[in-house]
Amino acid sequence: MGRLSGKQKAPPPAPKDVARSSNGLTFSKMEGNQKIFTVEASKATDFRDKDASLLEDVKITIFGRKGERRDTIHTQSCQYEKEGGGMACSGEVQFDLESRAEAERATRNPEITTQQKVHVETRGVVFNRASGMARTEHPVKFVFPNGSGQAVGSSITPKKGRCGC
Protein backbone atom coordinates (compact mmCIF):
# COMPACT_ATOMS: atom_id res chain seq x y z
CA MET A 1 0.00 0.00 0.00
CA GLY A 2 1.22 3.45 -0.83
CA ARG A 3 1.32 6.35 1.58
CA LEU A 4 -1.29 9.10 1.37
CA SER A 5 -0.10 12.62 0.78
CA GLY A 6 -1.21 15.52 2.99
CA LYS A 7 -3.72 16.62 0.36
CA GLN A 8 -5.35 13.20 0.27
CA LYS A 9 -5.74 13.14 4.07
CA ALA A 10 -7.30 16.60 4.33
CA PRO A 11 -11.09 16.90 4.56
CA PRO A 12 -12.86 18.44 1.59
CA PRO A 13 -12.97 22.24 1.55
CA ALA A 14 -16.01 23.95 3.07
CA PRO A 15 -18.69 25.19 0.67
CA LYS A 16 -18.19 28.82 -0.40
CA ASP A 17 -21.00 30.16 1.80
CA VAL A 18 -19.75 28.36 4.96
CA ALA A 19 -17.33 30.27 7.20
CA ARG A 20 -16.88 27.52 9.80
CA SER A 21 -18.36 24.17 10.76
CA SER A 22 -17.78 22.51 14.12
CA ASN A 23 -18.88 19.39 15.97
CA GLY A 24 -20.40 20.04 19.36
CA LEU A 25 -21.51 23.40 20.69
CA THR A 26 -22.72 24.28 24.19
CA PHE A 27 -23.62 27.64 25.71
CA SER A 28 -25.58 28.73 28.76
CA LYS A 29 -27.26 31.84 30.09
CA MET A 30 -26.34 32.68 33.67
CA GLU A 31 -27.84 35.17 36.14
CA GLY A 32 -25.33 35.44 38.97
CA ASN A 33 -24.59 31.85 40.01
CA GLN A 34 -27.87 30.52 38.58
CA LYS A 35 -27.86 28.78 35.18
CA ILE A 36 -31.11 29.77 33.43
CA PHE A 37 -30.75 27.50 30.39
CA THR A 38 -28.20 25.53 28.37
CA VAL A 39 -28.20 24.98 24.61
CA GLU A 40 -26.37 21.94 23.22
CA ALA A 41 -25.95 21.06 19.54
CA SER A 42 -24.04 18.20 17.96
CA LYS A 43 -23.03 20.37 14.98
CA ALA A 44 -22.86 24.11 14.26
CA THR A 45 -22.35 25.77 10.88
CA ASP A 46 -21.55 29.48 10.59
CA PHE A 47 -22.35 31.07 7.23
CA ARG A 48 -20.40 33.86 5.54
CA ASP A 49 -22.13 37.24 5.39
CA LYS A 50 -25.02 36.06 7.59
CA ASP A 51 -25.80 36.82 11.21
CA ALA A 52 -26.98 33.25 11.75
CA SER A 53 -25.70 29.74 12.35
CA LEU A 54 -27.34 26.40 11.68
CA LEU A 55 -27.46 24.20 14.80
CA GLU A 56 -28.19 20.48 14.37
CA ASP A 57 -29.44 17.88 16.87
CA VAL A 58 -30.36 20.60 19.36
CA LYS A 59 -31.23 20.14 23.03
CA ILE A 60 -32.18 23.09 25.24
CA THR A 61 -32.49 22.54 28.99
CA ILE A 62 -34.37 25.26 30.89
CA PHE A 63 -33.57 25.47 34.62
CA GLY A 64 -35.62 28.58 35.46
CA ARG A 65 -34.59 31.66 37.38
CA LYS A 66 -34.58 29.77 40.70
CA GLY A 67 -33.26 26.46 39.35
CA GLU A 68 -36.54 24.69 40.08
CA ARG A 69 -37.15 23.36 36.52
CA ARG A 70 -35.63 20.68 34.25
CA ASP A 71 -37.59 21.35 31.07
CA THR A 72 -35.99 20.10 27.86
CA ILE A 73 -36.58 21.01 24.24
CA HIS A 74 -35.23 18.74 21.48
CA THR A 75 -35.25 19.22 17.71
CA GLN A 76 -33.17 18.30 14.69
CA SER A 77 -32.19 21.80 13.53
CA CYS A 78 -32.50 25.48 14.43
CA GLN A 79 -31.24 28.73 13.01
CA TYR A 80 -29.39 30.69 15.70
CA GLU A 81 -29.18 34.48 15.37
CA LYS A 82 -25.74 35.58 16.59
CA GLU A 83 -26.73 39.21 17.25
CA GLY A 84 -29.93 38.76 19.28
CA GLY A 85 -29.39 35.18 20.39
CA GLY A 86 -32.82 33.99 19.22
CA MET A 87 -33.40 30.56 17.71
CA ALA A 88 -35.99 29.48 15.15
CA CYS A 89 -36.65 25.74 14.90
CA SER A 90 -38.89 25.15 11.90
CA GLY A 91 -39.22 21.35 12.09
CA GLU A 92 -40.64 18.96 14.68
CA VAL A 93 -39.92 19.95 18.28
CA GLN A 94 -40.44 17.92 21.49
CA PHE A 95 -40.68 19.37 24.98
CA ASP A 96 -40.47 17.42 28.24
CA LEU A 97 -41.59 19.63 31.12
CA GLU A 98 -40.79 18.63 34.68
CA SER A 99 -39.67 20.09 37.96
CA ARG A 100 -36.12 19.68 39.24
CA ALA A 101 -37.46 17.59 42.13
CA GLU A 102 -39.25 15.21 39.74
CA ALA A 103 -36.19 14.90 37.47
CA GLU A 104 -33.97 14.08 40.47
CA ARG A 105 -36.53 11.57 41.78
CA ALA A 106 -36.64 9.84 38.36
CA THR A 107 -32.81 9.71 38.24
CA ARG A 108 -32.63 8.14 41.71
CA ASN A 109 -35.45 5.65 41.02
CA PRO A 110 -35.58 4.88 37.26
CA GLU A 111 -37.89 1.90 37.85
CA ILE A 112 -40.69 4.20 39.02
CA THR A 113 -42.94 4.84 36.02
CA THR A 114 -45.28 7.43 37.52
CA GLN A 115 -43.70 10.71 36.65
CA GLN A 116 -45.13 14.18 36.67
CA LYS A 117 -43.56 14.99 33.31
CA VAL A 118 -45.59 16.73 30.60
CA HIS A 119 -44.60 15.72 27.04
CA VAL A 120 -45.35 18.23 24.26
CA GLU A 121 -44.97 17.81 20.48
CA THR A 122 -45.21 20.68 18.00
CA ARG A 123 -43.22 22.43 15.27
CA GLY A 124 -42.04 25.91 14.38
CA VAL A 125 -40.71 26.94 17.80
CA VAL A 126 -38.99 30.28 18.39
CA PHE A 127 -36.70 30.46 21.43
CA ASN A 128 -35.77 33.89 22.82
CA ARG A 129 -32.35 33.77 24.49
CA ALA A 130 -32.83 37.06 26.35
CA SER A 131 -36.09 36.06 28.05
CA GLY A 132 -35.70 32.27 27.93
CA MET A 133 -39.21 31.99 26.44
CA ALA A 134 -40.04 29.35 23.84
CA ARG A 135 -43.22 29.77 21.77
CA THR A 136 -45.05 28.40 18.75
CA GLU A 137 -48.22 29.26 16.89
CA HIS A 138 -48.57 25.75 15.41
CA PRO A 139 -50.78 22.88 16.65
CA VAL A 140 -49.54 21.35 19.90
CA LYS A 141 -50.15 17.85 21.28
CA PHE A 142 -49.44 17.22 24.95
CA VAL A 143 -49.54 14.22 27.25
CA PHE A 144 -49.48 14.59 31.03
CA PRO A 145 -50.08 12.21 33.93
CA ASN A 146 -53.68 11.00 33.67
CA GLY A 147 -54.52 12.77 30.43
CA SER A 148 -53.69 14.36 27.09
CA GLY A 149 -54.82 17.28 24.98
CA GLN A 150 -54.30 19.51 21.98
CA ALA A 151 -54.00 23.23 21.46
CA VAL A 152 -53.05 25.74 18.82
CA GLY A 153 -50.03 27.72 19.99
CA SER A 154 -48.03 27.50 23.18
CA SER A 155 -45.40 29.33 25.21
CA ILE A 156 -43.01 28.31 27.97
CA THR A 157 -41.27 30.85 30.17
CA PRO A 158 -38.59 30.26 32.80
CA LYS A 159 -40.40 32.63 35.15
CA LYS A 160 -43.55 30.53 35.17
CA GLY A 161 -41.82 27.23 34.40
CA ARG A 162 -45.03 25.98 32.88
CA CYS A 163 -46.57 25.48 29.48
CA GLY A 164 -48.96 28.26 28.51
CA CYS A 165 -50.94 26.03 26.13
Side-chain angles (χ1 to χ4, degrees):
M1 281 194 162
R3 296 181 61 179
L4 297 176
S5 71
K7 269 190 168 182
Q8 291 171 319
K9 292 179 184 178
K16 291 181 182 183
D17 62 339
V18 173
R20 182 180 69 180
S21 180
S22 61
N23 289 326
L25 169 80
T26 301
F27 63 87
S28 298
K29 178 179 179 181
M30 303 289 292
E31 284 186 4
N33 292 330
Q34 178 60 48
K35 188 183 299 184
I36 305 300
F37 65 82
T38 297
V39 176
E40 300 170 85
S42 65
K43 184 177 179 185
T45 304
D46 293 333
F47 296 97
R48 296 184 201 282
D49 304 322
K50 289 188 180 179
D51 182 39
S53 297
L54 175 65
L55 304 180
E56 298 177 60
D57 190 18
V58 181
K59 178 183 175 187
I60 303 169
T61 304
I62 301 171
F63 301 99
R65 300 204 186 281
K66 296 180 182 175
E68 72 282 2
R69 304 296 308 161
R70 287 301 181 275
D71 301 330
T72 59
I73 303 171
H74 185 261
T75 188
Q76 288 305 307
S77 67
C78 296
Q79 183 168 317
Y80 171 68
E81 299 171 1
K82 296 175 196 173
E83 183 71 26
M87 290 178 36
C89 309
S90 58
E92 297 290 324
V93 182
Q94 295 183 357
F95 296 75
D96 282 315
L97 311 176
E98 64 184 330
S99 69
R100 180 182 76 192
E102 183 60 31
E104 290 171 352
R105 190 172 18 255
T107 300
R108 285 191 311 269
N109 302 306
E111 68 280 353
I112 297 175
T113 57
T114 12
Q115 292 187 351
Q116 298 303 310
K117 185 185 298 187
V118 175
H119 180 77
V120 181
E121 294 181 4
T122 189
R123 64 182 307 107
V125 173
V126 175
F127 180 73
N128 183 303
R129 180 176 166 182
S131 69
M133 182 186 342
R135 67 175 172 78
T136 183
E137 295 176 0
H138 292 272
V140 179
K141 295 178 185 176
F142 50 95
V143 177
F144 50 91
N146 304 318
S148 64
Q150 297 181 19
V152 176
S154 176
S155 65
I156 299 173
T157 62
K159 183 176 180 181
K160 293 179 184 177
R162 295 280 184 212
C163 175
C165 301

